[in-house]
Amino acid sequence: MKTKQSIILSIVMIMTVSMVNGQEFDLQKADIHDRMVYHRAVDAAVWAMPLMNFKFYRDALADAGVGPNDVGYFSKLQDWKFQTATPNNTTPYILTYWNMEEGPIVVELPASTKDVGIFGTLMDAWQRAIDDIGALGRDKGEGAKYILVPPGYDGPLLPNAFVYKQQTNNGWMALRPIIKGATPENLAKASEFVKRIKIYPLKDANNPPQMKFVDLYDVLLEMTPVLDGNIYQEIHEMIEEEPVQDLNLAMMGTMARIGIQKGKPFNPDAKTQAIYDKAGPEALKYMVEQYHRYLNPWMYEGKKWSSLTPSGDIETDWTYEFPSYYDYHARGALYYAIITGIKTYGSATFYLDLAETPDGQWLDGGKNYKLVMPHNVPVRNFWAITTYDLETASYIRDMEKSSIDNTQTQLQKNADGSVDIYFGPEAPEGKESNWLPTDPDRRFFLLARFYGPEPELFDGSFELNDIELIK
């Protein structure tokens, strides 16, 4: 498990000089060979970001007692201890993973009830969406058996099952129940619904093994990849687990130049490790900049709200594999910030990102801000504003409150129906219900979530306000 201190240390280590076992790396003084190792290492970490998201997700679940084919769930809404990329805290998550090295896997979903449905996406280890499932996906809430098979499989299947080829050994899904509000009664019904999910090897279809369900509420799950010098050991471990696909051959050649080769031990010398220690944090800094400032299209002219994803997400099913090129830089930046893609994104939910003030300054947890949400937000269901740590893209640590939505009964509204939301290390007097706390030592960003978005969100007739610095 990574501690808070180790995570903070790994992020602030963006410096010119690194030293390990007496070896020093100075980018300004390094020769061409070492500079190329450094630049290739930065690129390798960006390329591997979605794979690292899966690995840290899988390893954190394993630490919590959730093994392959087990199901982890939250009996209550998750809080800051769910350290993964931009989760929400309006519905509880259902988390699971599997491995196909010994053959196909069956994922069996129950049909929706009058009180509980389910939705989410089958994913491979590179976070490529295989298909949406559940009420908003392939089975339309009627329940189904989904069979995941490796490339080239020509063995027996199951009648009336949906069959997909999965290109990686590892696969996973992060599901969410559809409930009418996170009341204790509805959360209890969702927990019971979860226990009807089944995941098992296809070879055991006639006699599936007993399922294991693990309640993850109040469990610290360190799922955020830590981009320090150790990330290259993590990359090597996953390269050993997964097949090499043709589109990754060029990057495998690049990684061979920095000491990462499939089938060979990973033994960097002290000088190479010092380069890794500099390159890992630099890759994180690059992805933060790319995601929040460069790749995601601005939503409104002259304002800092941007779309959730870089252009090309829907066209490529979140893979960024275009006919003539492979945009792994956009993909890496995307998966720095989100844990999973949904093929139906935009129809049931829509998100916007804000990380800067109108003059282009990062949002600073030591300062105070105000955001005025208009009264006429065009949603069928509700809107929510959530705060996240800028570097980890997860909940701000040790903060019990991270989200405000317009269904909260204690929320204070202005005479015209608009809502003032405050951000900062301390609540303005009398505005506690409309305040989201920040860490004075950390930067942060916001996601605006719209559940049941209406056309006005997309046609330019509605705009969100920029955030205001309170002096």
Side-chain angles (χ1 to χ4, degrees):
M1 283 286 199
K2 303 290 185 182
T3 66
K4 176 181 178 182
Q5 289 76 20
S6 68
I7 291 173
I8 292 174
L9 179 61
S10 70
I11 293 168
V12 301
M13 279 179 55
I14 303 172
M15 54 199 316
T16 302
V17 179
S18 294
M19 182 178 290
V20 175
N21 297 329
Q23 289 288 332
E24 185 176 287
F25 176 65
D26 186 329
L27 182 60
Q28 304 303 319
K29 298 179 180 179
D31 63 23
I32 185 63
H33 171 79
D34 289 345
R35 292 201 306 273
M36 287 304 297
V37 171
Y38 166 77
H39 292 304
R40 286 168 173 155
V42 171
D43 221 27
V46 174
W47 168 79
M49 189 65 193
L51 195 62
M52 293 299 93
N53 244 342
F54 165 75
K55 186 179 192 301
F56 279 70
Y57 165 98
R58 189 261 319 266
D59 292 354
L61 286 178
D63 288 344
V66 180
N69 304 342
D70 297 340
V71 174
Y73 71 99
F74 289 85
S75 59
K76 300 178 183 178
L77 289 182
Q78 51 279 344
D79 59 13
W80 70 267
K81 293 180 181 179
F82 185 31
Q83 285 288 303
T84 192
T86 55
N88 75 58
N89 49 15
T90 54
T91 56
Y93 280 76
I94 304 158
L95 309 174
T96 187
Y97 63 97
W98 53 85
N99 185 282
M100 293 199 313
E101 287 185 279
E102 297 183 4
I105 292 291
V106 180
V107 176
E108 192 171 331
L109 291 188
S112 300
T113 69
K114 65 180 181 66
D115 297 310
V116 184
I118 201 168
F119 77 97
T121 307
L122 299 169
M123 309 282 289
D124 72 12
W126 281 101
Q127 294 194 244
R128 290 176 294 204
I130 298 171
D131 205 357
D132 292 343
I133 58 178
L136 303 177
R138 184 72 179 271
D139 60 274
K140 306 301 182 186
E142 296 180 2
K145 294 179 180 178
Y146 294 86
I147 304 178
L148 300 158
V149 304
Y153 177 79
D154 61 357
L157 299 170
L158 297 177
N160 302 315
F162 298 119
V163 181
Y164 298 93
K165 180 172 68 175
Q166 180 178 298
Q167 299 183 59
T168 59
N169 291 328
N170 292 286
W172 63 288
M173 59 185 180
L175 305 176
R176 279 167 279 176
I178 302 170
I179 51 180
K180 297 176 182 177
T183 64
E185 180 183 18
N186 287 337
L187 289 170
K189 290 178 180 178
S191 295
E192 289 304 311
F193 185 91
V194 167
K195 294 173 184 177
R196 295 164 55 201
I197 297 172
K198 296 179 182 179
I199 304 172
Y200 50 87
L202 177 59
K203 63 182 177 62
D204 297 331
N206 292 330
N207 186 26
Q210 183 72 30
M211 286 293 300
K212 178 182 177 182
F213 299 93
V214 179
D215 187 354
L216 298 171
Y217 176 70
D218 205 34
V219 176
L220 179 59
L221 297 170
E222 298 284 15
M223 294 179 169
T224 302
V226 180
L227 272 80
D228 57 14
N230 295 321
I231 198 65
Y232 299 95
Q233 171 69 46
E234 306 277 2
I235 293 172
H236 180 264
E237 290 177 10
M238 285 305 297
I239 293 301
E240 290 295 282
E241 288 190 37
E242 292 295 347
V244 178
Q245 296 177 273
D246 288 348
L247 81 167
N248 289 323
L249 287 174
M251 184 55 70
M252 293 299 293
T254 292
M255 288 198 299
R257 294 290 184 180
I258 66 170
I260 300 175
Q261 287 184 270
K262 188 174 180 68
K264 294 188 177 181
F266 178 74
N267 292 311
D269 58 24
K271 181 174 73 170
T272 302
Q273 186 61 55
I275 296 174
Y276 289 164
D277 291 341
K278 173 73 166 66
E282 190 76 351
L284 174 61
K285 181 180 179 182
Y286 174 74
M287 287 185 283
V288 170
E289 289 269 349
Q290 288 290 296
Y291 182 81
H292 293 290
R293 284 180 163 166
Y294 297 103
L295 290 175
N296 296 1
W298 300 115
M299 194 66 183
Y300 315 116
E301 185 176 354
K303 293 185 178 180
K304 292 297 184 178
W305 288 99
S306 63
S307 66
L308 181 71
T309 59
S311 299
D313 55 344
I314 304 302
E315 302 92 316
T316 65
D317 278 342
W318 305 81
T319 66
Y320 290 88
E321 297 169 18
F322 294 92
S324 60
Y325 70 102
Y326 174 30
D327 193 355
Y328 64 86
H329 281 251
R331 188 192 64 174
L334 171 67
Y335 288 115
Y336 136 78
I338 71 169
I339 186 61
T340 180
I342 299 174
K343 287 192 173 187
T344 55
Y345 172 67
S347 58
T349 58
F350 183 66
Y351 308 151
L352 292 176
D353 165 68
L354 180 72
E356 299 175 275
T357 60
D359 61 352
Q361 299 299 309
W362 292 118
L363 298 181
D364 184 340
K367 297 178 180 179
N368 297 293
Y369 304 90
K370 182 176 76 169
L371 173 68
V372 181
M373 288 294 290
H375 74 282
N376 59 336
V377 179
V379 289
R380 294 186 299 277
N381 301 323
F382 67 96
W383 57 258
I385 298 291
T386 307
T387 53
Y388 297 101
D389 185 283
L390 182 69
E391 281 79 19
T392 68
S394 190
Y395 294 130
I396 301 173
R397 299 180 77 91
D398 300 310
M399 299 295 174
E400 296 302 323
K401 184 181 179 183
S402 59
S403 189
I404 282 176
D405 67 68
N406 63 313
T407 69
Q408 295 171 349
T409 57
Q410 73 275 23
L411 198 64
Q412 298 178 31
K413 296 184 180 180
N414 300 320
D416 63 356
S418 63
V419 176
D420 296 338
I421 302 177
Y422 298 89
F423 310 87
E426 295 183 8
E429 186 175 354
K431 302 294 184 180
E432 289 79 5
S433 62
N434 289 38
W435 166 69
L436 290 174
T438 59
D439 184 334
D441 297 322
R442 308 285 292 171
R443 297 175 298 182
F444 70 100
F445 69 97
L446 312 179
L447 283 191
R449 285 185 167 88
F450 306 94
Y451 294 86
E454 297 285 14
E456 293 83 358
L457 273 171
F458 311 103
D459 65 14
S461 57
F462 171 84
E463 289 191 9
L464 282 177
N465 297 305
D466 263 328
I467 201 166
E468 307 170 32
L469 177 65
I470 302 175
K471 299 265 178 114

